[in-house]
C-alpha cells in the first residue's frame, strides 16, 4: 500500500481509547511469476450503524455487501482490516479474528471473484500482517499467510512474516555493514529482494555491491552480449568474455556470486528484456527495482510498473556532453530519483520521452540514419553500449552507480529518519548537487494508472533485439574452436567457484 493509504487506515484503526477497530478497503491483484501481491486501493470507512466497538470490534453484513458490490463493479477485491492496539510485530490470528474473516470469505469471493484479504495492524509498532482466504474444498477454510506487507512512501517500510521468510544468518564478514545500520535493520534490509535491470557499467557495479552487502535475494536482468567496446567500462570483464561472446548477465552473475556475503544468497538471472512478457512477470516478484537501462521502451515499462504495481523503481544515469567538433568534454551530468506513487514519474521529470517509445519498439533507434538525424536518444543514459547511447567512461559511471545506491540506502534505511530525497542532479563542471523541483503533471497518463495492477496495459511484446542477441551467443552458432575455448573458460570459472565455496565452508561462513 502507499503511505497515504496507510495514513487513512491508521487514523481509523488506532483509537485514542485504545480499543480495537475494524474497516474495509478494496484491492487489485498484481501477479508475477511466483508471487501475487494485493495492491490496496481505496479505504471504505464504515457508515453509522455498520460497525460496533465494544472491546472487540464487529461489522454488519450490510457493510460487507456494500463494499463488496463497489469492489465488484470496479474489478477489485475486498480487504478486511482490524487493529491489535497493543500488538507488536507480525500478528497471529485470534479465534474471533479467524471467525470473522472466515465467515465473510466465501460471500466476498462469490461477489467479487477474488479472495478476501485479511490484515492486522499492530498498534505498538505499526507492524502489518496479512493473509488471503483462498477457496478450499475443505469445510474449514484456512488462510494463506503472506510473506510480507510493504508500505511505500519516502521510506519503504516492510513487515516480515518470520515464519515464512526467516531472519537471515549474519556471517562474520558482515560485521561492518551491520554496525552501520544496526542488526534489526540489517535483517530487514537483506531480506528485501532487489532486481537490477540493465547490467552495463552502472548496473554491474550496483549488482556486485548489493551482493557484497548481504542481500539475500538478488535478481539480474540483461540480454546483451559483451563486445570489445564495453571493455573500457565493464569492470571485471576481460577480452576472453568478448571473444567467447559471453553475456553481461553471465559476467554479473559470476561477479555477484563471488562477492556475495549472505549465508545463502539466491541470485536469479534473467536473459530477457523487461519489455518481454516473461521479463516483466519476473520483475513483479521483487520488492524494488534498480533501473540501469537507457532505451525509451524498457524505461517506459519500468516507469509504468512503479505506479501500476507499487514497486519502487530507483532510476538514474549519466550523460556526458561533448563539444560538437569532438574537441573535448563540456560537462557530465548524473541524476538519480525514486519512482513511486506521490513522486513525479520519469516522463514528468523529463527523463523519458513518451514519443520515442514507438521508435524504440520499431528498431529505429538502431538505425544509424535515425541517430545522425536526432543526436542522442531521449532519456538518461546509464552506461549502455549501442551506438545510439551516450558516451560514458569508467571513471564517471561509478558516480552514477553511487548516486543510485545512495537513493537505495535512503529509501530502505532512512538515515536520520529521512527517506529518499527526491530527484537529484550532479553537474560535474561546477561540482554542484541540485535537488530538482519537478512537479507531477495533473494529467499524467502514467500516474493515472496508479494501483491498477493486472488490469492496466503492460507495454510488453516481442523484442527482436533481445532475440537476436540470444541467438548470436547460442553455442550452435559458434565456430568449434570457440566452443572448446568456452568450455575451458566455463571449467575454470566453475573451479574457482568451488574453491570459494570450500573456503567459505572452512572459514565457517
Ligand atoms: Zn508522470
Amino acid at each position: 500500500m502507499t503511505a497515504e493509504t496507510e495514513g487513512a487506515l491508521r487514523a481509523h484503526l488506532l483509537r485514542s481509547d485504545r480499543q480495537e477497530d475494524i474497516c474495509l478497503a478494496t484491492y487489485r491483484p498484481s501477479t508475477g511469476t511466483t508471487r501475487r501481491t494485493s495492491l490496496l486501493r481505496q479505504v471504505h470507512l464504515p457508515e453509522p450503524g455498520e460497525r460496533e466497538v465494544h472491546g472487540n470490534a464487529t461489522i454488519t453484513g450490510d457493510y460487507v455487501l456494500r463494499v463488496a458490490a463497489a469492489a465488484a463493479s470496479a474489478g477489485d477485491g475486498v480487504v478486511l482490516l482490524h487493529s491489535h492496539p497493543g500488538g507488536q510485530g507480525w500478528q497471529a490470528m485470534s479465534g474471533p479474528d479467524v471467525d470473522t474473516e472466515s465467515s465473510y470469505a466465501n460471500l466476498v469471493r462469490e461477489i467479487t471473484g477474488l479472495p478476501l484479504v485479511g490484515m492486522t495492524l499492530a498498534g505498538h509498532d505499526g507492524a502489518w500482517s496479512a493473509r488471503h482466504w483462498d477457496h478450499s474444498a475443505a469445510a474449514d477454510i484456512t488462510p494463506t499467510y503472506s510473506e510480507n506487507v510493504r508500505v511505500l512512501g519516502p521510506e519503504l517500510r516492510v513487515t516480515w512474516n518470520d515464519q515464512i521468510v526467516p531472519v537471515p544468518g549474519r556471517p562474520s564478514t558482515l560485521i561492518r555493514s551491520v554496525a552501520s545500520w544496526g542488526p534489526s535493520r540489517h535483517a530487514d534490509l537483506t531480506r528485501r529482494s532487489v532486481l537490477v535491470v540493465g547490467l552495463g557499467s552502472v548496473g554491474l557495479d550496483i549488482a556486485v555491491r548489493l551482493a557484497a552487502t548481504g542481500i539475500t535475494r538478488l535478481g539480474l536482468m540483461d540480454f546483451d552480449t559483451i563486445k570489445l567496446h564495453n571493455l573500457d567500462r565493464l569492470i571485471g570483464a576481460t577480452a576472453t568474455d568478448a571473444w567467447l561472446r559471453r553475456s553481461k548477465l553471465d559476467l554479473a552473475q559470476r561477479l555477484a556470486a563471488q562477492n556475495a556475503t549472505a549465508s545463502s544468497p539466491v541470485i536469479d538471472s534473467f536473459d530477457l528484456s523487461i519489455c518481454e512478457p516473461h521479463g516483466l512477470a519476473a520483475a513483479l516478484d521483487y520488492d524494488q527495482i534498480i533501473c540501469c537501462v537507457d532505451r525509451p521502451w524498457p524505461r517506459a515499462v519500468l516507469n509504468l510498473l512503479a505506479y501500476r504495481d507499487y514497486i519502487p523503481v530507483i532510476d538514474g544515469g549519466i550523460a556526458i556532453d561533448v563539444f560538437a567538433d569532438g574537441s573535448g568534454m563540456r560537462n557530465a551530468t548524473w541524476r538519480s530519483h525514486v519512482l513511486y506513487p506521490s513522486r513525479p514519474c520519469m516522463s514528468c521529470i523529463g527523463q523519458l520521452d513518451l514519443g520515442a517509445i514507438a521508435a524504440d519498439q520499431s528498431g529505429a533507434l538502431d538505425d544509424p540514419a535515425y541517430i545522425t538525424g536526432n543526436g542522442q536518444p531521449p532519456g538518461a543514459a546509464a552506461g549502455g553500449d549501442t551506438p545510439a547511447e551516450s558516451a560514458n567512461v569508467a571513471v564517471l559511471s561509478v558516480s552514477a552507480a553511487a548516486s543510485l545506491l545512495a537513493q537505495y540506502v535512503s529509501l530502505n534505511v532512512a538515515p536520520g529518519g529521512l527517506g529518499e530525497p527526491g530527484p537529484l542532479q550532479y553537474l560535474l563542471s561546477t561540482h554542484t548537487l541540485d535537488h530538482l523541483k519537478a512537479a507531477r503533471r495533473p494529467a499524467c497518463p502514467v500516474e493515472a494508472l496508479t494501483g491498477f495492477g493486472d488490469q492496466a496495459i503492460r507495454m510488453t511484446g516481442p523484442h527482436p533485439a533481445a532475440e537476436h542477441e540470444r541467438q548470436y551467443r547460442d553455442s550452435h552458432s559458434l565456430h568449434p574452436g570457440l566452443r572448446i575455448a568456452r568450455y575451458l573458460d566455463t571449467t575454470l570459472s566453475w573451479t574457482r567457484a568451488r574453491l570459494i565455496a570450500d573456503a567459505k565452508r572452512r572459514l565457517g561462513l
Side-chain angles (χ1 to χ4, degrees):
M1 72 182 90
T2 62
E4 206 178 353
T5 301
E6 192 204 29
L9 288 169
R10 286 177 64 95
H12 174 76
L13 293 173
L14 300 179
R15 303 164 59 94
S16 54
D17 63 8
R18 307 262 305 152
Q19 295 194 75
E20 79 169 55
D21 211 332
I22 190 166
C23 70
L24 297 169
T26 54
Y27 78 90
R28 279 207 185 157
S30 164
T31 313
T33 307
T34 60
R35 182 174 82 172
R36 65 170 160 175
T37 300
S38 299
L39 314 171
L40 253 70
R41 283 171 56 78
Q42 204 181 343
V43 179
H44 293 261
L45 294 178
E47 286 172 2
E50 286 186 332
R51 70 100 158 65
E52 261 185 62
V53 175
H54 42 70
N56 283 342
T58 51
I59 49 173
T60 64
D62 284 352
Y63 179 27
V64 178
L65 286 172
R66 174 172 71 83
V67 176
S73 67
D76 292 355
V78 173
V79 192
L80 174 56
L81 308 103
H82 75 284
S83 53
H84 288 174
Q88 197 171 350
W90 193 272
Q91 295 292 291
M93 299 272 282
S94 69
D97 291 349
V98 173
D99 290 346
T100 306
E101 292 185 10
S102 63
S103 68
Y104 289 119
N106 287 328
L107 172 73
V108 162
R109 199 176 45 245
E110 283 299 315
I111 297 174
T112 64
L114 290 167
L116 174 73
V117 171
M119 292 188 75
T120 314
L121 170 62
H124 187 77
D125 62 356
W128 287 96
S129 32
R131 54 262 156 201
H132 286 79
W133 291 87
D134 292 302
H135 180 69
S136 160
D140 290 332
I141 56 170
T142 51
T144 309
Y145 291 98
S146 304
E147 64 180 49
N148 68 26
V149 176
R150 305 184 296 281
V151 179
L152 184 51
E155 179 188 359
L156 175 63
R157 289 199 298 104
V158 184
T159 310
W160 290 98
N161 182 346
D162 293 345
Q163 305 228 313
I164 297 181
V165 189
V167 174
R170 235 187 308 135
S172 47
T173 40
L174 282 164
I175 287 172
R176 298 294 165 87
S177 297
V178 174
S180 302
W181 38 59
S184 65
R185 184 67 87 161
H186 188 80
D188 177 12
L189 176 75
T190 52
R191 278 184 283 181
R192 300 177 179 197
S193 56
V194 190
L195 174 68
V196 182
V197 179
L199 299 163
S201 55
V202 176
L204 175 67
D205 195 24
I206 287 172
V208 172
R209 284 170 196 283
L210 290 173
T213 304
I215 302 307
T216 312
R217 190 161 155 247
L218 187 60
L220 308 171
M221 188 180 290
D222 201 316
F223 60 82
D224 211 1
T225 313
I226 298 170
K227 313 272 169 52
L228 277 178
H229 66 262
N230 298 134
L231 296 183
D232 68 346
R233 282 157 297 131
L234 279 183
I235 306 300
T238 66
T240 322
D241 293 312
W243 180 46
L244 298 178
R245 300 188 191 180
R246 291 288 189 195
S247 65
K248 292 178 180 174
L249 186 65
D250 278 351
L251 173 68
Q253 165 84 33
R254 188 170 82 214
L255 295 180
Q258 282 177 8
N259 285 278
T261 51
S263 298
S264 322
V266 176
I267 303 174
D268 296 317
S269 293
F270 304 101
D271 190 4
L272 293 165
S273 164
I274 191 76
C275 304
E276 294 174 292
H278 285 92
L280 180 70
L284 295 176
D285 292 343
Y286 286 84
D287 297 333
Q288 55 199 314
I289 297 173
I290 302 188
C291 170
C292 303
V293 287
D294 56 4
R295 288 299 191 94
W297 186 15
R299 290 177 63 72
V301 170
L302 286 169
N303 186 42
L304 178 58
L305 175 151
Y307 297 84
R308 193 195 60 193
D309 299 288
Y310 293 172
I311 297 176
V313 173
I314 302 166
D315 174 53
I318 181 163
I320 295 177
D321 184 13
V322 296
F323 289 113
D325 60 4
S327 62
M329 183 189 287
R330 183 188 283 121
N331 203 352
T333 310
W334 48 93
R335 300 175 62 141
S336 62
H337 38 263
V338 187
L339 310 167
Y340 62 92
S342 85
R343 282 287 188 204
C345 84
M346 258 187 216
S347 164
C348 287
I349 59 175
Q351 293 298 293
L352 171 68
D353 178 359
L354 296 176
I357 299 166
D360 191 9
Q361 285 172 321
S362 70
L365 294 187
D366 292 314
D367 178 357
Y370 179 91
I371 299 155
T372 316
N374 290 270
Q376 299 296 347
D385 57 17
T386 59
E389 289 161 351
S390 306
N392 190 4
V393 291
V395 285
L396 291 179
S397 64
V398 67
S399 296
S403 184
L404 283 157
L405 283 169
Q407 293 270 6
Y408 164 82
V409 172
S410 285
L411 177 70
N412 286 280
V413 177
L418 299 172
E420 54 79 31
L424 297 178
Q425 172 178 272
Y426 193 94
L427 297 175
L428 181 65
S429 57
T430 51
H431 285 274
T432 43
L433 178 68
D434 298 324
H435 286 251
L436 301 175
K437 303 237 178 313
R440 295 151 70 190
R441 286 177 297 170
C444 171
V446 173
E447 293 175 51
L449 297 173
T450 294
F452 271 52
D454 292 346
Q455 287 185 25
I457 52 158
R458 295 216 167 271
M459 299 184 72
T460 53
H463 197 288
E467 283 158 23
H468 173 266
E469 286 297 319
R470 289 191 290 259
Q471 236 166 41
Y472 169 74
R473 286 195 303 273
D474 189 274
S475 58
H476 297 295
S477 68
L478 292 186
H479 182 272
L482 269 189
R483 258 189 268 175
I484 294 167
R486 203 191 250 192
Y487 172 77
L488 286 174
D489 185 55
T490 304
T491 309
L492 279 172
S493 293
W494 183 85
T495 308
R496 180 152 181 77
R498 293 304 312 154
L499 267 174
I500 294 172
D502 195 45
K504 280 185 171 175
R505 192 174 53 78
R506 284 165 192 270
L507 292 168
L509 298 175

Coordinates of all heavy atoms in Angstrom, one line a residue, residues 68-116:
A68 N -18.4 -4.9 -1.0 CA -18.1 -5.9 -2.0 C -18.8 -5.6 -3.3 O -18.2 -5.8 -4.4 CB -18.7 -7.3 -1.5
A69 N -20.0 -4.9 -3.3 CA -20.6 -4.5 -4.5 C -19.8 -3.4 -5.2 O -19.6 -3.5 -6.4 CB -22.0 -4.0 -4.2
A70 N -19.3 -2.5 -4.4 CA -18.5 -1.4 -5.0 C -17.2 -2.0 -5.6 O -16.8 -1.6 -6.7 CB -18.1 -0.4 -3.9
A71 N -16.6 -3.0 -4.9 CA -15.4 -3.6 -5.4 C -15.6 -4.4 -6.7 O -14.9 -4.2 -7.6 CB -14.8 -4.6 -4.3
A72 N -16.7 -5.1 -6.7 CA -17.0 -5.9 -7.9 C -17.2 -5.1 -9.1 O -16.8 -5.4 -10.2 CB -18.3 -6.8 -7.6
S73 N -17.9 -3.9 -8.9 CA -18.1 -3.1 -10.1 C -16.9 -2.4 -10.6 O -16.8 -2.0 -11.8 CB -19.2 -2.0 -9.8 OG -18.6 -1.1 -8.8
A74 N -15.8 -2.4 -9.8 CA -14.5 -1.8 -10.2 C -13.5 -2.9 -10.6 O -12.4 -2.6 -11.0 CB -13.9 -0.9 -9.1
G75 N -13.9 -4.2 -10.4 CA -13.0 -5.3 -10.7 C -12.0 -5.5 -9.6 O -11.0 -6.1 -9.8
D76 N -12.3 -5.0 -8.4 CA -11.4 -5.1 -7.2 C -11.8 -6.2 -6.3 O -12.9 -6.8 -6.4 CB -11.5 -3.8 -6.4 CG -10.9 -2.6 -7.2 OD1 -10.4 -2.8 -8.3 OD2 -11.0 -1.5 -6.6
G77 N -11.0 -6.5 -5.3 CA -11.3 -7.5 -4.3 C -11.5 -6.7 -3.0 O -11.4 -5.4 -3.0
V78 N -11.8 -7.4 -1.9 CA -12.1 -6.7 -0.6 C -11.0 -7.1 0.4 O -10.6 -8.2 0.5 CB -13.5 -7.2 -0.1 CG1 -13.8 -6.6 1.3 CG2 -14.6 -6.7 -1.1
V79 N -10.7 -6.1 1.2 CA -9.7 -6.3 2.3 C -10.5 -6.0 3.6 O -11.2 -5.0 3.7 CB -8.5 -5.3 2.3 CG1 -7.4 -5.8 3.3 CG2 -8.0 -5.3 0.8
L80 N -10.4 -6.9 4.6 CA -11.0 -6.7 5.9 C -9.8 -6.4 6.9 O -8.9 -7.3 7.1 CB -11.8 -7.9 6.3 CG -12.4 -8.0 7.7 CD1 -13.3 -6.8 8.0 CD2 -13.2 -9.3 7.9
L81 N -9.8 -5.2 7.5 CA -8.7 -4.8 8.3 C -9.1 -4.5 9.8 O -10.2 -4.0 10.0 CB -8.0 -3.5 7.8 CG -7.6 -3.5 6.3 CD1 -8.7 -2.7 5.5 CD2 -6.3 -2.9 6.1
H82 N -8.3 -5.0 10.7 CA -8.6 -4.6 12.1 C -7.3 -4.4 12.9 O -6.2 -4.7 12.3 CB -9.5 -5.7 12.8 CG -8.7 -6.9 13.2 ND1 -8.4 -7.9 12.2 CD2 -8.2 -7.4 14.4 CE1 -7.7 -8.9 12.8 NE2 -7.6 -8.6 14.1
S83 N -7.4 -3.8 14.1 CA -6.2 -3.5 14.8 C -6.1 -4.3 16.1 O -7.1 -4.7 16.6 CB -6.2 -2.0 15.2 OG -7.4 -1.7 15.9
H84 N -4.8 -4.5 16.5 CA -4.5 -5.1 17.8 C -3.7 -3.9 18.5 O -2.5 -3.8 18.3 CB -3.6 -6.3 17.7 CG -4.3 -7.5 17.2 ND1 -3.6 -8.7 16.9 CD2 -5.6 -7.8 16.9 CE1 -4.5 -9.6 16.5 NE2 -5.7 -9.1 16.5
P85 N -4.4 -3.1 19.3 CA -3.8 -1.9 19.8 C -2.5 -2.1 20.5 O -1.6 -1.3 20.4 CB -4.9 -1.4 20.8 CG -6.2 -1.9 20.3 CD -5.8 -3.3 19.8
G86 N -2.3 -3.2 21.3 CA -1.0 -3.4 22.0 C -0.1 -4.3 21.2 O 1.0 -4.6 21.7
G87 N -0.4 -4.7 20.0 CA 0.4 -5.6 19.3 C 1.7 -5.1 18.8 O 1.9 -3.9 18.6
Q88 N 2.6 -6.1 18.6 CA 4.0 -5.7 18.1 C 4.4 -6.8 17.2 O 4.3 -8.0 17.5 CB 4.9 -5.7 19.4 CG 6.2 -4.9 19.1 CD 6.9 -4.8 20.5 OE1 6.4 -5.0 21.5 NE2 8.2 -4.3 20.4
G89 N 4.9 -6.4 16.0 CA 5.4 -7.3 15.0 C 4.3 -8.1 14.3 O 3.1 -7.7 14.5
W90 N 4.6 -9.1 13.5 CA 3.7 -9.8 12.7 C 2.7 -10.5 13.7 O 3.1 -11.1 14.6 CB 4.4 -10.9 11.9 CG 3.5 -11.5 10.8 CD1 2.7 -12.6 11.0 CD2 3.4 -11.1 9.5 NE1 2.1 -12.9 9.8 CE2 2.5 -12.0 8.9 CE3 3.9 -10.1 8.7 CZ2 2.1 -11.9 7.5 CZ3 3.5 -9.9 7.4 CH2 2.6 -10.8 6.8
Q91 N 1.4 -10.3 13.4 CA 0.3 -10.8 14.4 C -0.2 -12.1 14.0 O -0.5 -12.4 12.9 CB -0.8 -9.8 14.4 CG -0.4 -8.4 14.9 CD -0.1 -8.4 16.4 OE1 -0.9 -8.7 17.2 NE2 1.2 -8.3 16.7
A92 N -0.3 -13.0 15.1 CA -1.0 -14.2 14.9 C -2.5 -13.9 14.9 O -3.0 -12.9 15.4 CB -0.7 -15.2 16.0
M93 N -3.3 -14.9 14.5 CA -4.8 -14.7 14.4 C -5.4 -15.2 15.7 O -5.2 -16.4 16.1 CB -5.4 -15.4 13.2 CG -4.8 -15.0 11.9 SD -5.8 -13.6 11.3 CE -7.2 -14.6 10.6
S94 N -6.3 -14.4 16.3 CA -7.0 -14.9 17.5 C -8.2 -15.7 17.0 O -8.6 -15.6 15.8 CB -7.5 -13.8 18.4 OG -8.5 -13.0 17.7
G95 N -8.9 -16.5 17.9 CA -10.1 -17.2 17.5 C -11.2 -16.3 16.9 O -11.7 -16.6 15.8
P96 N -11.5 -15.2 17.5 CA -12.5 -14.3 16.9 C -12.1 -13.7 15.6 O -12.9 -13.5 14.7 CB -12.6 -13.2 18.0 CG -12.2 -13.8 19.3 CD -11.2 -14.8 18.9
D97 N -10.7 -13.5 15.4 CA -10.2 -13.0 14.1 C -10.6 -14.0 13.0 O -11.1 -13.6 11.9 CB -8.7 -12.8 14.1 CG -8.2 -11.7 15.0 OD1 -9.1 -10.9 15.5 OD2 -7.0 -11.6 15.3
V98 N -10.2 -15.2 13.3 CA -10.5 -16.3 12.3 C -12.0 -16.4 12.0 O -12.4 -16.5 10.8 CB -9.9 -17.6 12.8 CG1 -10.3 -18.8 11.9 CG2 -8.4 -17.6 13.0
D99 N -12.8 -16.4 13.1 CA -14.2 -16.5 12.9 C -14.8 -15.4 12.0 O -15.5 -15.6 11.0 CB -15.0 -16.4 14.2 CG -14.7 -17.7 15.1 OD1 -14.2 -18.7 14.5 OD2 -15.0 -17.7 16.3
T100 N -14.4 -14.1 12.3 CA -14.9 -13.0 11.5 C -14.5 -13.1 10.0 O -15.3 -13.0 9.1 CB -14.3 -11.7 12.1 OG1 -14.6 -11.6 13.4 CG2 -14.9 -10.5 11.3
E101 N -13.2 -13.3 9.8 CA -12.7 -13.3 8.4 C -13.2 -14.5 7.6 O -13.7 -14.4 6.5 CB -11.2 -13.3 8.4 CG -10.6 -12.0 8.9 CD -9.1 -11.8 8.7 OE1 -8.5 -12.6 8.1 OE2 -8.6 -10.8 9.3
S102 N -13.2 -15.7 8.3 CA -13.7 -16.9 7.5 C -15.2 -16.8 7.3 O -15.7 -17.3 6.2 CB -13.4 -18.2 8.3 OG -14.1 -18.2 9.5
S103 N -16.0 -16.1 8.1 CA -17.4 -16.0 7.9 C -17.8 -15.2 6.7 O -18.8 -15.4 6.1 CB -18.1 -15.5 9.2 OG -17.8 -14.2 9.4
Y104 N -16.9 -14.2 6.3 CA -17.2 -13.4 5.2 C -16.4 -13.8 3.9 O -16.7 -13.3 2.8 CB -16.8 -11.9 5.5 CG -17.8 -11.3 6.5 CD1 -17.3 -10.8 7.7 CD2 -19.1 -11.2 6.2 CE1 -18.2 -10.2 8.6 CE2 -20.0 -10.6 7.1 CZ -19.5 -10.1 8.3 OH -20.4 -9.6 9.2
A105 N -15.5 -14.8 4.1 CA -14.6 -15.1 3.0 C -15.3 -15.6 1.7 O -15.1 -15.2 0.6 CB -13.5 -16.1 3.4
N106 N -16.3 -16.6 2.0 CA -17.0 -17.1 0.8 C -17.9 -16.1 0.2 O -18.0 -16.0 -1.1 CB -17.8 -18.4 1.3 CG -16.9 -19.5 1.5 OD1 -15.9 -19.7 0.9 ND2 -17.3 -20.4 2.5
L107 N -18.6 -15.3 1.0 CA -19.5 -14.3 0.5 C -18.8 -13.3 -0.4 O -19.2 -13.0 -1.6 CB -20.2 -13.6 1.7 CG -21.0 -12.4 1.3 CD1 -22.3 -12.8 0.6 CD2 -21.3 -11.5 2.5
V108 N -17.6 -12.8 0.1 CA -16.9 -11.8 -0.7 C -16.3 -12.4 -2.0 O -16.4 -11.8 -3.0 CB -15.7 -11.3 0.2 CG1 -14.7 -10.6 -0.6 CG2 -16.3 -10.3 1.3
R109 N -15.9 -13.7 -1.9 CA -15.3 -14.3 -3.1 C -16.5 -14.5 -4.2 O -16.3 -14.4 -5.4 CB -14.6 -15.6 -2.8 CG -13.7 -16.0 -3.9 CD -12.9 -17.3 -3.6 NE -13.8 -18.3 -3.0 CZ -13.7 -18.7 -1.7 NH1 -12.7 -18.3 -0.9 NH2 -14.5 -19.6 -1.2
E110 N -17.7 -14.9 -3.7 CA -18.8 -15.0 -4.6 C -19.1 -13.7 -5.4 O -19.4 -13.7 -6.5 CB -20.0 -15.5 -3.8 CG -20.0 -16.9 -3.4 CD -20.0 -17.9 -4.6 OE1 -20.7 -17.6 -5.6 OE2 -19.2 -18.8 -4.6
I111 N -19.1 -12.6 -4.6 CA -19.5 -11.3 -5.2 C -18.4 -10.8 -6.1 O -18.6 -10.3 -7.2 CB -19.8 -10.3 -4.1 CG1 -21.1 -10.9 -3.3 CG2 -20.1 -8.9 -4.7 CD1 -21.4 -10.0 -2.1
T112 N -17.1 -10.8 -5.6 CA -16.0 -10.1 -6.4 C -15.2 -11.1 -7.3 O -14.5 -10.6 -8.2 CB -15.0 -9.5 -5.4 OG1 -14.4 -10.6 -4.6 CG2 -15.7 -8.5 -4.4
G113 N -15.3 -12.4 -7.0 CA -14.5 -13.3 -7.8 C -13.0 -13.3 -7.3 O -12.2 -14.0 -7.9
L114 N -12.7 -12.6 -6.3 CA -11.3 -12.6 -5.7 C -11.3 -12.9 -4.3 O -12.3 -12.7 -3.6 CB -10.8 -11.1 -5.9 CG -10.5 -10.7 -7.3 CD1 -10.2 -9.2 -7.4 CD2 -9.3 -11.4 -7.9
P115 N -10.2 -13.6 -3.8 CA -10.2 -14.0 -2.4 C -10.2 -12.8 -1.4 O -9.7 -11.7 -1.8 CB -8.9 -14.7 -2.2 CG -8.1 -14.3 -3.4 CD -9.0 -13.9 -4.5
L116 N -10.9 -12.9 -0.3 CA -10.9 -11.9 0.8 C -9.4 -11.8 1.3 O -8.8 -12.9 1.5 CB -11.8 -12.3 1.9 CG -11.8 -11.4 3.1 CD1 -12.4 -10.0 2.8 CD2 -12.5 -12.1 4.3

